[in-house]
Amino acid sequence: MMEIVVSKYKENVDWVNQLNHKTYVFNKNIEENHLFEHNLPNVGRETHTYLNYIINNYHNLPDHVAFVQGHPFDHAPNAIQLINEFNHNDSFLPIGKIVESDLCCEIPNQIKKYANKYNFEIGETAKCVPGAQFILSKEIIKNRSLDFYKNLMEGLKYDVCPWDAYDFEKCALTIFKINV
């Protein structure tokens, strides 16, 4: 079984009706709270939404979870197809291209500070999926403890666009211990 987590602000999310899996749209636009069952404060970008889902479902995760933005098509024009045709024998699928950070030389000090702040190792180069959109197995999510995710969430609670959200995007594959 797979569930889809959509982090929405002002995007039109009618496209989710084309998905073949249980989908949770997490609305972050207070003006639309009456339209959605799942509402979150507009903080921490999509990272806050993803971590909120992981923390609240950690002990009851489905086999796979797709994490996407409210308009995933900027980074993955074929997002719907990738999600609907996902091979459930796989443990990971990027929804978009994997990019190597070493195209810009070494990882900026900001990313290294983020890794140190949350106590995980990162090398001189890293790979990321722009937009932090991917499908993960519950085993991959559980490569880290619930407390680890709660700790990451602390840096996202107070600002719409905190640096931690951007740093998570750049480090997500390392955070989830995905080697590609």
Side-chain angles (χ1 to χ4, degrees), residues 150-177:
K150 287 179 177 178
N151 193 30
L152 289 180
M153 181 68 103
E154 286 303 311
L156 301 168
K157 291 182 175 181
Y158 308 105
D159 189 4
V160 173
C161 295
W163 278 110
D164 277 13
Y166 296 104
D167 296 342
F168 176 91
E169 177 181 351
K170 292 176 184 77
C171 296
L173 299 184
T174 301
I175 287 169
F176 292 115
K177 300 182 180 181

mmCIF file of all heavy atoms in Angstrom, residues 150-177:
data_model
loop_
_atom_site.group_PDB
_atom_site.id
_atom_site.type_symbol
_atom_site.label_atom_id
_atom_site.label_comp_id
_atom_site.label_asym_id
_atom_site.label_seq_id
_atom_site.Cartn_x
_atom_site.Cartn_y
_atom_site.Cartn_z
ATOM 1 N N LYS A 150 11.809 14.348 14.869
ATOM 2 C CA LYS A 150 11.292 15.399 15.762
ATOM 3 C C LYS A 150 12.321 16.510 15.922
ATOM 4 O O LYS A 150 11.967 17.689 15.969
ATOM 5 C CB LYS A 150 10.928 14.816 17.123
ATOM 6 C CG LYS A 150 9.670 13.985 17.114
ATOM 7 C CD LYS A 150 9.375 13.424 18.501
ATOM 8 C CE LYS A 150 8.090 12.641 18.529
ATOM 9 N NZ LYS A 150 7.821 12.059 19.866
ATOM 10 N N ASN A 151 13.570 16.135 16.011
ATOM 11 C CA ASN A 151 14.642 17.122 16.133
ATOM 12 C C ASN A 151 14.730 17.978 14.867
ATOM 13 O O ASN A 151 14.859 19.204 14.948
ATOM 14 C CB ASN A 151 15.964 16.404 16.422
ATOM 15 C CG ASN A 151 17.048 17.348 16.878
ATOM 16 O OD1 ASN A 151 16.793 18.374 17.488
ATOM 17 N ND2 ASN A 151 18.279 16.984 16.593
ATOM 18 N N LEU A 152 14.649 17.354 13.691
ATOM 19 C CA LEU A 152 14.654 18.111 12.435
ATOM 20 C C LEU A 152 13.489 19.099 12.382
ATOM 21 O O LEU A 152 13.622 20.217 11.888
ATOM 22 C CB LEU A 152 14.549 17.174 11.228
ATOM 23 C CG LEU A 152 15.728 16.301 10.851
ATOM 24 C CD1 LEU A 152 15.385 15.462 9.629
ATOM 25 C CD2 LEU A 152 16.982 17.113 10.605
ATOM 26 N N MET A 153 12.340 18.688 12.900
ATOM 27 C CA MET A 153 11.140 19.524 12.863
ATOM 28 C C MET A 153 11.320 20.817 13.656
ATOM 29 O O MET A 153 10.744 21.854 13.301
ATOM 30 C CB MET A 153 9.949 18.734 13.410
ATOM 31 C CG MET A 153 8.655 19.499 13.396
ATOM 32 S SD MET A 153 8.038 19.828 11.733
ATOM 33 C CE MET A 153 6.755 18.611 11.643
ATOM 34 N N GLU A 154 12.130 20.789 14.688
ATOM 35 C CA GLU A 154 12.316 21.974 15.540
ATOM 36 C C GLU A 154 12.801 23.187 14.746
ATOM 37 O O GLU A 154 12.450 24.311 15.060
ATOM 38 C CB GLU A 154 13.280 21.669 16.691
ATOM 39 C CG GLU A 154 12.665 20.800 17.760
ATOM 40 C CD GLU A 154 11.395 21.397 18.355
ATOM 41 O OE1 GLU A 154 11.398 22.584 18.729
ATOM 42 O OE2 GLU A 154 10.388 20.663 18.427
ATOM 43 N N GLY A 155 13.606 22.966 13.733
ATOM 44 C CA GLY A 155 14.130 24.071 12.937
ATOM 45 C C GLY A 155 13.157 24.615 11.901
ATOM 46 O O GLY A 155 13.497 25.518 11.141
ATOM 47 N N LEU A 156 11.930 24.080 11.869
ATOM 48 C CA LEU A 156 10.975 24.440 10.819
ATOM 49 C C LEU A 156 9.709 25.109 11.340
ATOM 50 O O LEU A 156 8.884 25.554 10.551
ATOM 51 C CB LEU A 156 10.547 23.170 10.058
ATOM 52 C CG LEU A 156 11.676 22.389 9.399
ATOM 53 C CD1 LEU A 156 11.173 21.029 8.956
ATOM 54 C CD2 LEU A 156 12.247 23.165 8.224
ATOM 55 N N LYS A 157 9.549 25.200 12.623
ATOM 56 C CA LYS A 157 8.267 25.572 13.225
ATOM 57 C C LYS A 157 7.945 27.066 13.229
ATOM 58 O O LYS A 157 6.811 27.430 13.514
ATOM 59 C CB LYS A 157 8.218 25.085 14.671
ATOM 60 C CG LYS A 157 8.135 23.589 14.805
ATOM 61 C CD LYS A 157 8.042 23.218 16.268
ATOM 62 C CE LYS A 157 7.829 21.742 16.448
ATOM 63 N NZ LYS A 157 7.720 21.397 17.868
ATOM 64 N N TYR A 158 8.906 27.922 12.954
ATOM 65 C CA TYR A 158 8.679 29.332 13.244
ATOM 66 C C TYR A 158 8.799 30.278 12.057
ATOM 67 O O TYR A 158 8.599 31.465 12.214
ATOM 68 C CB TYR A 158 9.649 29.775 14.352
ATOM 69 C CG TYR A 158 9.578 28.869 15.548
ATOM 70 C CD1 TYR A 158 10.576 27.937 15.808
ATOM 71 C CD2 TYR A 158 8.475 28.900 16.400
ATOM 72 C CE1 TYR A 158 10.492 27.087 16.895
ATOM 73 C CE2 TYR A 158 8.381 28.053 17.489
ATOM 74 C CZ TYR A 158 9.393 27.150 17.725
ATOM 75 O OH TYR A 158 9.295 26.296 18.795
ATOM 76 N N ASP A 159 9.117 29.758 10.891
ATOM 77 C CA ASP A 159 9.347 30.634 9.746
ATOM 78 C C ASP A 159 8.755 29.973 8.495
ATOM 79 O O ASP A 159 8.798 28.753 8.353
ATOM 80 C CB ASP A 159 10.856 30.849 9.574
ATOM 81 C CG ASP A 159 11.216 31.911 8.556
ATOM 82 O OD1 ASP A 159 10.315 32.566 8.003
ATOM 83 O OD2 ASP A 159 12.419 32.071 8.294
ATOM 84 N N VAL A 160 8.229 30.778 7.595
ATOM 85 C CA VAL A 160 7.669 30.257 6.354
ATOM 86 C C VAL A 160 8.754 29.577 5.519
ATOM 87 O O VAL A 160 8.545 28.494 4.978
ATOM 88 C CB VAL A 160 6.988 31.386 5.546
ATOM 89 C CG1 VAL A 160 6.550 30.881 4.180
ATOM 90 C CG2 VAL A 160 5.809 31.959 6.307
ATOM 91 N N CYS A 161 9.903 30.203 5.403
ATOM 92 C CA CYS A 161 10.996 29.687 4.567
ATOM 93 C C CYS A 161 12.308 29.635 5.349
ATOM 94 O O CYS A 161 13.263 30.350 5.023
ATOM 95 C CB CYS A 161 11.167 30.556 3.329
ATOM 96 S SG CYS A 161 9.771 30.535 2.211
ATOM 97 N N PRO A 162 12.397 28.777 6.354
ATOM 98 C CA PRO A 162 13.654 28.704 7.116
ATOM 99 C C PRO A 162 14.758 28.022 6.309
ATOM 100 O O PRO A 162 14.477 27.204 5.427
ATOM 101 C CB PRO A 162 13.267 27.863 8.332
ATOM 102 C CG PRO A 162 12.173 26.985 7.828
ATOM 103 C CD PRO A 162 11.413 27.824 6.833
ATOM 104 N N TRP A 163 15.985 28.352 6.638
ATOM 105 C CA TRP A 163 17.109 27.720 5.961
ATOM 106 C C TRP A 163 17.058 26.211 6.103
ATOM 107 O O TRP A 163 17.443 25.470 5.194
ATOM 108 C CB TRP A 163 18.449 28.256 6.488
ATOM 109 C CG TRP A 163 18.837 29.547 5.849
ATOM 110 C CD1 TRP A 163 18.866 30.781 6.422
ATOM 111 C CD2 TRP A 163 19.236 29.737 4.484
ATOM 112 N NE1 TRP A 163 19.252 31.727 5.504
ATOM 113 C CE2 TRP A 163 19.495 31.107 4.303
ATOM 114 C CE3 TRP A 163 19.400 28.876 3.403
ATOM 115 C CZ2 TRP A 163 19.903 31.633 3.086
ATOM 116 C CZ3 TRP A 163 19.810 29.401 2.180
ATOM 117 C CH2 TRP A 163 20.059 30.765 2.042
ATOM 118 N N ASP A 164 16.577 25.729 7.252
ATOM 119 C CA ASP A 164 16.520 24.288 7.468
ATOM 120 C C ASP A 164 15.696 23.579 6.387
ATOM 121 O O ASP A 164 15.984 22.442 6.032
ATOM 122 C CB ASP A 164 15.941 23.968 8.848
ATOM 123 C CG ASP A 164 16.970 24.047 9.964
ATOM 124 O OD1 ASP A 164 18.078 24.589 9.726
ATOM 125 O OD2 ASP A 164 16.673 23.578 11.076
ATOM 126 N N ALA A 165 14.667 24.225 5.867
ATOM 127 C CA ALA A 165 13.842 23.608 4.821
ATOM 128 C C ALA A 165 14.650 23.427 3.535
ATOM 129 O O ALA A 165 14.576 22.380 2.884
ATOM 130 C CB ALA A 165 12.594 24.440 4.561
ATOM 131 N N TYR A 166 15.408 24.443 3.174
ATOM 132 C CA TYR A 166 16.248 24.345 1.973
ATOM 133 C C TYR A 166 17.372 23.334 2.183
ATOM 134 O O TYR A 166 17.726 22.582 1.266
ATOM 135 C CB TYR A 166 16.824 25.711 1.615
ATOM 136 C CG TYR A 166 15.773 26.711 1.230
ATOM 137 C CD1 TYR A 166 15.380 27.711 2.117
ATOM 138 C CD2 TYR A 166 15.138 26.662 -0.013
ATOM 139 C CE1 TYR A 166 14.394 28.637 1.774
ATOM 140 C CE2 TYR A 166 14.158 27.571 -0.364
ATOM 141 C CZ TYR A 166 13.797 28.556 0.535
ATOM 142 O OH TYR A 166 12.822 29.458 0.191
ATOM 143 N N ASP A 167 17.927 23.321 3.389
ATOM 144 C CA ASP A 167 19.006 22.386 3.687
ATOM 145 C C ASP A 167 18.501 20.946 3.669
ATOM 146 O O ASP A 167 19.189 20.045 3.182
ATOM 147 C CB ASP A 167 19.631 22.713 5.046
ATOM 148 C CG ASP A 167 20.303 24.075 5.055
ATOM 149 O OD1 ASP A 167 20.593 24.616 3.969
ATOM 150 O OD2 ASP A 167 20.526 24.614 6.155
ATOM 151 N N PHE A 168 17.288 20.719 4.180
ATOM 152 C CA PHE A 168 16.700 19.378 4.129
ATOM 153 C C PHE A 168 16.602 18.913 2.675
ATOM 154 O O PHE A 168 16.937 17.774 2.363
ATOM 155 C CB PHE A 168 15.318 19.372 4.788
ATOM 156 C CG PHE A 168 14.614 18.048 4.681
ATOM 157 C CD1 PHE A 168 14.755 17.096 5.675
ATOM 158 C CD2 PHE A 168 13.806 17.744 3.591
ATOM 159 C CE1 PHE A 168 14.111 15.863 5.584
ATOM 160 C CE2 PHE A 168 13.159 16.518 3.486
ATOM 161 C CZ PHE A 168 13.315 15.575 4.483
ATOM 162 N N GLU A 169 16.126 19.796 1.805
ATOM 163 C CA GLU A 169 15.986 19.439 0.390
ATOM 164 C C GLU A 169 17.321 18.970 -0.181
ATOM 165 O O GLU A 169 17.387 17.963 -0.883
ATOM 166 C CB GLU A 169 15.468 20.632 -0.406
ATOM 167 C CG GLU A 169 15.348 20.387 -1.892
ATOM 168 C CD GLU A 169 14.845 21.598 -2.661
ATOM 169 O OE1 GLU A 169 14.414 22.592 -2.039
ATOM 170 O OE2 GLU A 169 14.886 21.561 -3.899
ATOM 171 N N LYS A 170 18.372 19.683 0.147
ATOM 172 C CA LYS A 170 19.695 19.342 -0.390
ATOM 173 C C LYS A 170 20.282 18.091 0.250
ATOM 174 O O LYS A 170 21.119 17.426 -0.337
ATOM 175 C CB LYS A 170 20.635 20.524 -0.214
ATOM 176 C CG LYS A 170 20.252 21.715 -1.076
ATOM 177 C CD LYS A 170 21.163 22.906 -0.800
ATOM 178 C CE LYS A 170 20.726 24.124 -1.568
ATOM 179 N NZ LYS A 170 19.568 24.785 -0.993
ATOM 180 N N CYS A 171 19.824 17.771 1.469
ATOM 181 C CA CYS A 171 20.386 16.640 2.214
ATOM 182 C C CYS A 171 19.433 15.452 2.332
ATOM 183 O O CYS A 171 19.779 14.461 2.976
ATOM 184 C CB CYS A 171 20.750 17.086 3.631
ATOM 185 S SG CYS A 171 22.029 18.329 3.729
ATOM 186 N N ALA A 172 18.246 15.523 1.755
ATOM 187 C CA ALA A 172 17.225 14.494 1.993
ATOM 188 C C ALA A 172 17.722 13.082 1.680
ATOM 189 O O ALA A 172 17.472 12.151 2.458
ATOM 190 C CB ALA A 172 15.956 14.802 1.205
ATOM 191 N N LEU A 173 18.408 12.900 0.577
ATOM 192 C CA LEU A 173 18.871 11.556 0.242
ATOM 193 C C LEU A 173 19.866 11.044 1.278
ATOM 194 O O LEU A 173 19.865 9.862 1.622
ATOM 195 C CB LEU A 173 19.460 11.515 -1.166
ATOM 196 C CG LEU A 173 18.495 11.887 -2.297
ATOM 197 C CD1 LEU A 173 19.170 11.713 -3.648
ATOM 198 C CD2 LEU A 173 17.210 11.098 -2.220
ATOM 199 N N THR A 174 20.696 11.940 1.797
ATOM 200 C CA THR A 174 21.626 11.558 2.862
ATOM 201 C C THR A 174 20.866 11.299 4.156
ATOM 202 O O THR A 174 21.144 10.327 4.860
ATOM 203 C CB THR A 174 22.674 12.676 3.078
ATOM 204 O OG1 THR A 174 23.370 12.882 1.853
ATOM 205 C CG2 THR A 174 23.648 12.304 4.173
ATOM 206 N N ILE A 175 19.908 12.153 4.469
ATOM 207 C CA ILE A 175 19.107 11.961 5.689
ATOM 208 C C ILE A 175 18.421 10.608 5.664
ATOM 209 O O ILE A 175 18.406 9.894 6.669
ATOM 210 C CB ILE A 175 18.087 13.107 5.827
ATOM 211 C CG1 ILE A 175 18.801 14.394 6.239
ATOM 212 C CG2 ILE A 175 16.981 12.748 6.831
ATOM 213 C CD1 ILE A 175 17.959 15.647 6.153
ATOM 214 N N PHE A 176 17.859 10.219 4.527
ATOM 215 C CA PHE A 176 17.166 8.931 4.430
ATOM 216 C C PHE A 176 18.121 7.767 4.121
ATOM 217 O O PHE A 176 17.675 6.638 3.920
ATOM 218 C CB PHE A 176 16.057 9.010 3.383
ATOM 219 C CG PHE A 176 14.916 9.904 3.790
ATOM 220 C CD1 PHE A 176 14.639 11.058 3.092
ATOM 221 C CD2 PHE A 176 14.138 9.585 4.890
ATOM 222 C CE1 PHE A 176 13.584 11.882 3.470
ATOM 223 C CE2 PHE A 176 13.077 10.403 5.280
ATOM 224 C CZ PHE A 176 12.802 11.557 4.567
ATOM 225 N N LYS A 177 19.415 8.058 4.066
ATOM 226 C CA LYS A 177 20.445 7.043 3.820
ATOM 227 C C LYS A 177 20.252 6.309 2.501
ATOM 228 O O LYS A 177 20.339 5.091 2.419
ATOM 229 C CB LYS A 177 20.515 6.048 4.999
ATOM 230 C CG LYS A 177 20.852 6.703 6.325
ATOM 231 C CD LYS A 177 20.949 5.674 7.435
ATOM 232 C CE LYS A 177 21.288 6.355 8.753
ATOM 233 N NZ LYS A 177 21.412 5.385 9.849
#
